[in-house]
Amino acid sequence: MSVRCIQDGLTGFVTLDNPPVNAIGREMRQGLLEAVAWAEGLNLDRVIVTGAGRAFAAGADAKEFDGPPLEPYLPDVLDAIERSFVPWIAAINGVALGGGAEIALACRMRIMGPGAQIGLPEVTLGVIPGAGGTQRAMRLCGLETALELIAFGKPMGAKAALAAGLVHAVEDDPVEAADMVNTEELLCVVPTWELPAPEMDVAAFSAVRENLAKRSPGQIAPHRAVEVMEAGLGLDFAEAMALERATFLDLKSGDQSRALRHMFFSERAAKAPADLPAAPQITQVAVVGGGTMGAGIAYACLSVGLSVVLLETDADGVARATENVERLIVAGLKRGRLDDSSAEVLRARLVITDDYGAASGSSLAIEAAFEAMEVKKEIFAKLDAALPADTILATNTSYLDIDEVAAGTKDPSRVLGLHFFAPAHIMRLLEIVQGAQTGDRALAMGFGLAKLLKKVPVLAGVCDGFIGNRIFSRYREEADFLLMDGAVPWEVDEVMEAFGYAMGPYEVGDLSGLDIGFANRRRQDATRDPKRRYVPIADRMVNEGRLGRKTSVGWYRYPGGGGKVVDPLIEDLIAEEAHFAGVTRAEIPDDVVRERLLLAMINEAANILGEGIAHSAADIDLVTVFGYGFPRWRGGLMHFADAWGVVEIVEKLRLLEAQDPVVWAVSPVLAECAAAGMALTDWRAKG
Ligand code: 3HC
């Protein structure tokens, strides 16, 4: 049973017990309802409800959201708790989120453990609180705090919850403290539903809406939550509860909630494959190269308690690397992620040197040096010579052939790719690239490191760009085709921002530097299909020194190193290149721009799936969301494609293929899914 009831004198102890985090499913709702009747039948003078294990309750069981609501409904259960003549006390031992927090809010009193958290994160699953959270929270902690809690979904720690008036006390042992509460005092506490709703505060509503426009563009649920709270001020409790419930149910069956649930469960499913051995122990990591990426990787490792030996080529390199890591430590101090003593501990665990011998105690080495095969091979030869035979060797390459890197080492089975994303200590994605000879131990090490660093690991095969950069390259290529055909960079960027990206491809290009793409294109010159369309606009930009932000001029201008401004000269440059290429440019409607970019990415992603470079469509979703800014509320590229409709996608691709069969050859995976009426998410390789 997921609810256990024990009587001790006049106290009833109710334990929520549905491992691992006490998600509230039908059985728990039923159990709670029966617990109300049980306590009343025994005429108890209190019920103390707490959670078994590490959580109080993680909220409604989101796995039930795909089906119709099942009785008893949570609002009715909580209504029964709140109106029972036996007062309930929530002893919040761990996280109380969503429906879990709503159980607590419906209790007469709340006592919280110091390490517990309380929050209403429903918007992160595309819904709003559906069991009184909007109404009870604003009655308990006031409008402003409740709006922040619900519209942005960020949980509160115990101290903040106490200060906000959401809980009555913070105690080391909340169950014991609940048992000690004086009965008279307990009966004097007014049930939440009887408290008056706060006064209307127009400024608070305007502020939250303004904030939402900046922080959660495109998302529906936060706005609906704010609407429900605003309307609730003018309704009685029961009417407001009915409005909240109807809104919750409407959102639960909507596209955004489906997409966000898909992301939630895909993220949690991203773990080491079951048949891999346990991850080897890691205490020390060697990182080669102290540039932006290497320093970020070193800092990420230091932050989770690892020792790091950061290897550079010479004294100048050591000085640069020291500066780069120190900059991250100072930023950590400024943001409150570190204090003086933790910063000192971090520094003490770091050695920066040009002596590879100093890294001999490392169980893993991550090379993050310049992106050139010769450089990588030289480094791997040095690592091979200096480190023990069982040290795992990883390269952080974004594009290069890992098999070629591995071939030069004594034991290619211990070589893999660990593709971090900049800034490496912040971005959650880690592509774990499996070469032809990568062994299980090396893979287990990659997944083990991802777990330590709290990254989302995605297994990828070897190809130019692996999963993410290969899709991104196609996106960039199509964007340049659009420029040649009639679009301008700021239009393309605006269209993709309206779709949900924080930045369009040209602003991203300016940020990373146009020289990066240029170097890649030169590397690909030898293997590029001569029949494939090629647009030289970006090459010309580089030749003219327009490298992006670093030169204050790229696709945009950045006067004085500040914000971007449109540069009309770019339009002339594009028109000139189109003239040289004999292309007649014509205005391209926004929906065509959006469609071509999305179709290009979807088709490439389907090929990546078909070639086994990605193991599932969900993995591609994780890569596009966590590494490339695809809007999470659209569920990642492949989930989005399924929602759009594979049949329609293939029809549109066929029209483009008729115009350019090289660029737009329809992916066999898409064709197969369309013919079989199958979703990409359900596609599996045969055999
Ligand atoms: N429903 C279903 N399963 C859930 C769940 C939920 N609400 N919350 C967590 N789980 C599952 C996870 O999928 C995972 O399953 P797995 O072991 O099979 O992969 C397992 O519980 C453990 O979860 P985590 O790996 O995330 O464990 P952590 O300790 O890292 O985090 C947590 C625990 C902070 C509770 C985190 O899981 C979390 O944030 N959960 C979601 C909280 C949430 O959004 N609640 C609102 C739900 S909607 C709602 O309540 C509507 C209501 O208003 C009516």
Side-chain angles (χ1 to χ4, degrees):
M1 280 303 284
S2 53
V3 174
R4 285 187 277 114
C5 298
I6 294 175
Q7 182 188 1
D8 183 5
L10 286 177
T11 302
F13 291 93
V14 170
T15 305
L16 310 172
D17 191 2
N18 182 22
V21 287
N22 305 327
I24 310 161
R26 201 201 60 79
E27 190 181 290
M28 190 180 284
R29 295 195 299 274
Q30 183 64 40
L32 280 169
L33 205 53
E34 285 165 12
V36 173
W38 166 78
E40 289 182 350
L42 293 169
N43 213 5
L44 299 179
D45 77 1
R46 78 190 57 191
V47 167
I48 298 170
V49 57
T50 194
R54 60 189 154 114
F56 177 77
D61 185 344
K63 291 198 183 95
E64 282 187 359
F65 283 16
D66 285 334
L70 301 171
E71 283 185 288
Y73 308 131
L74 193 57
D76 300 336
V77 174
L78 300 192
D79 193 52
I81 289 177
E82 193 168 47
R83 287 166 199 260
S84 173
F85 64 83
V86 179
W88 282 50
I89 307 176
I92 306 170
N93 55 305
V95 283
L97 299 177
E102 288 172 308
I103 294 178
L105 298 185
C107 289
R108 197 69 68 88
M109 269 187 114
R110 287 157 291 287
I111 301 178
M112 203 166 166
Q117 289 199 320
I118 187 162
L120 293 163
E122 283 86 344
V123 292
T124 62
L125 292 177
V127 291
I128 67 165
T134 61
Q135 301 311 306
R136 291 195 179 94
M138 67 181 177
R139 279 169 172 76
L140 288 167
C141 64
L143 199 48
E144 222 171 303
T145 309
L147 278 168
E148 181 70 23
L149 193 68
I150 292 165
F152 301 102
K154 196 162 171 268
M156 274 182 184
K159 255 196 206 159
L162 182 65
L166 214 50
V167 299
H168 296 84
V170 176
E171 298 286 350
D172 286 340
D173 186 338
V175 175
E176 192 183 88
D179 206 14
M180 305 290 282
V181 173
N182 176 285
T183 309
E184 298 303 312
E185 236 176 73
L186 178 59
L187 287 170
C188 286
V189 179
V190 180
T192 314
W193 75 274
E194 282 184 20
L195 295 171
E199 292 290 308
M200 177 62 178
D201 181 345
V202 176
F205 282 104
S206 317
V208 76
R209 287 193 166 107
E210 215 172 282
N211 230 335
L212 278 176
K214 277 190 237 139
R215 283 162 63 181
S216 320
Q219 291 194 51
I220 302 167
H223 290 279
R224 298 286 298 276
V226 173
E227 274 168 27
V228 164
M229 290 170 80
E230 196 171 30
L233 297 180
L235 300 173
D236 69 29
F237 188 77
E239 288 169 336
M241 288 287 286
L243 175 66
E244 181 202 75
R245 185 69 181 167
T247 309
F248 165 78
L249 291 175
D250 179 39
L251 289 167
K252 179 175 85 80
S253 55
D255 288 345
Q256 288 200 2
S257 178
R258 234 191 306 276
L260 287 164
R261 286 187 330 254
H262 165 69
M263 285 313 297
F264 177 83
F265 287 115
S266 301
E267 188 182 337
R268 275 149 187 89
K271 350 183 133 120
D275 52 356
L276 274 189
Q281 183 81 18
I282 318 176
T283 49
Q284 181 180 300
V285 174
V287 177
V288 186
T292 311
M293 188 54 102
I297 296 172
Y299 180 76
C301 291
L302 289 166
S303 305
V304 296
L306 297 173
S307 296
V308 174
V309 180
L310 183 49
L311 295 165
E312 262 296 345
T313 39
D314 51 26
D316 284 350
V318 168
R320 251 193 327 271
T322 309
E323 233 173 73
N324 286 341
V325 179
E326 193 51 34
R327 203 173 302 128
L328 296 174
I329 293 176
V330 169
L333 282 164
K334 257 197 206 144
R335 300 217 166 91
R337 282 199 213 110
L338 295 173
D339 57 25
D340 287 341
S341 75
S342 55
E344 268 323 299
V345 172
L346 223 102
R347 287 186 187 106
R349 276 196 263 104
L350 173 66
V351 173
I352 308 184
T353 175
D354 55 2
D355 170 15
Y356 276 54
S360 62
S362 311
S363 37
L364 168 69
I366 305 169
E367 168 278 315
F370 187 66
E371 191 75 334
M373 185 55 83
E374 288 322 306
V375 175
K376 311 255 176 212
K377 281 184 174 167
E378 203 179 300
I379 290 171
F380 270 72
K382 280 163 86 176
L383 290 172
D384 220 4
L387 302 184
D390 61 350
T391 300
I392 301 298
L393 307 179
T395 169
N396 175 55
T397 180
S398 316
Y399 290 92
L400 300 180
D401 184 349
I402 283 157
D403 293 333
E404 197 179 332
V405 176
T409 64
K410 285 183 230 152
D411 175 9
S413 78
R414 61 185 180 126
V415 175
L416 81 162
L418 288 178
H419 183 207
F420 287 81
F421 291 74
H425 59 296
I426 292 175
M427 294 290 281
R428 301 268 328 275
L429 180 65
L430 181 65
E431 278 183 328
I432 298 181
V433 189
Q434 179 176 19
Q437 304 210 48
T438 302
D440 283 356
R441 204 172 149 272
L443 282 184
M445 175 69 91
F447 279 99
L449 181 74
K451 193 168 176 192
L452 262 179
L453 300 182
K454 298 194 171 57
K455 303 244 178 249
V456 177
V458 172
L459 190 58
V462 175
C463 69
D464 198 304
F466 316 123
I467 301 175
N469 275 340
R470 186 164 147 192
I471 296 172
F472 188 73
S473 293
R474 178 69 188 96
Y475 174 52
R476 282 289 297 108
E477 179 191 51
E478 191 57 31
D480 284 1
F481 292 166
L482 284 161
L483 294 195
M484 196 61 138
D485 294 343
V488 282
W490 39 97
E491 279 169 13
V492 173
D493 279 357
E494 269 171 31
V495 165
M496 295 321 277
E497 280 165 28
F499 177 77
Y501 280 93
M503 279 182 217
Y506 290 103
E507 196 178 350
V508 170
D510 274 358
L511 202 61
S512 9
L514 273 68
D515 46 336
I516 307 246
F518 182 84
N520 264 323
R521 290 191 295 279
R522 297 297 70 82
R523 190 176 49 73
Q524 291 162 339
D525 280 344
T527 50
R528 186 177 298 112
D529 180 349
K531 294 200 283 302
R532 192 171 183 98
R533 186 181 185 191
Y534 187 82
V535 165
I537 298 172
D539 293 345
R540 179 163 161 196
M541 301 276 290
V542 173
N543 290 334
E544 293 183 3
R546 292 172 162 267
L547 302 187
R549 273 192 175 271
K550 62 175 104 173
T551 53
S552 294
V553 55
W555 297 106
Y556 297 89
R557 282 190 171 276
Y558 302 89
K564 64 174 196 236
V565 293
V566 163
D567 183 354
L569 280 180
I570 293 287
E571 219 166 336
D572 299 340
L573 186 151
I574 297 168
E576 208 170 271
E577 285 300 326
H579 174 72
F580 294 151
V583 175
T584 309
R585 299 178 79 232
E587 203 170 305
I588 309 178
D590 287 356
D591 56 339
V592 175
V593 169
R594 184 177 54 247
E595 246 180 50
R596 267 176 59 180
L597 291 171
L598 290 166
L599 288 169
M601 285 196 280
I602 292 167
N603 202 38
E604 193 68 28
N607 281 332
I608 286 171
L609 194 57
E611 291 163 26
I613 300 296
H615 293 263
S616 70
D619 277 355
I620 294 175
D621 290 335
L622 291 172
V623 169
T624 50
V625 169
F626 285 102
Y628 296 83
F630 193 90
R632 183 182 171 100
W633 50 270
R634 291 195 188 268
L637 183 64
M638 301 309 249
H639 179 92
F640 168 77
D642 281 335
W644 184 354
V646 178
V647 171
E648 187 180 331
I649 286 172
V650 170
E651 275 167 13
K652 286 179 184 287
L653 283 171
R654 294 262 181 243
L655 295 176
L656 291 161
E657 188 183 27
Q659 292 164 28
D660 187 339
V662 176
V663 167
W664 286 106
V666 175
S667 154
V669 169
L670 276 170
E672 189 187 324
C673 285
M678 189 200 296
L680 282 162
T681 328
D682 295 328
W683 186 88
R684 296 286 175 274
K686 293 193 179 72

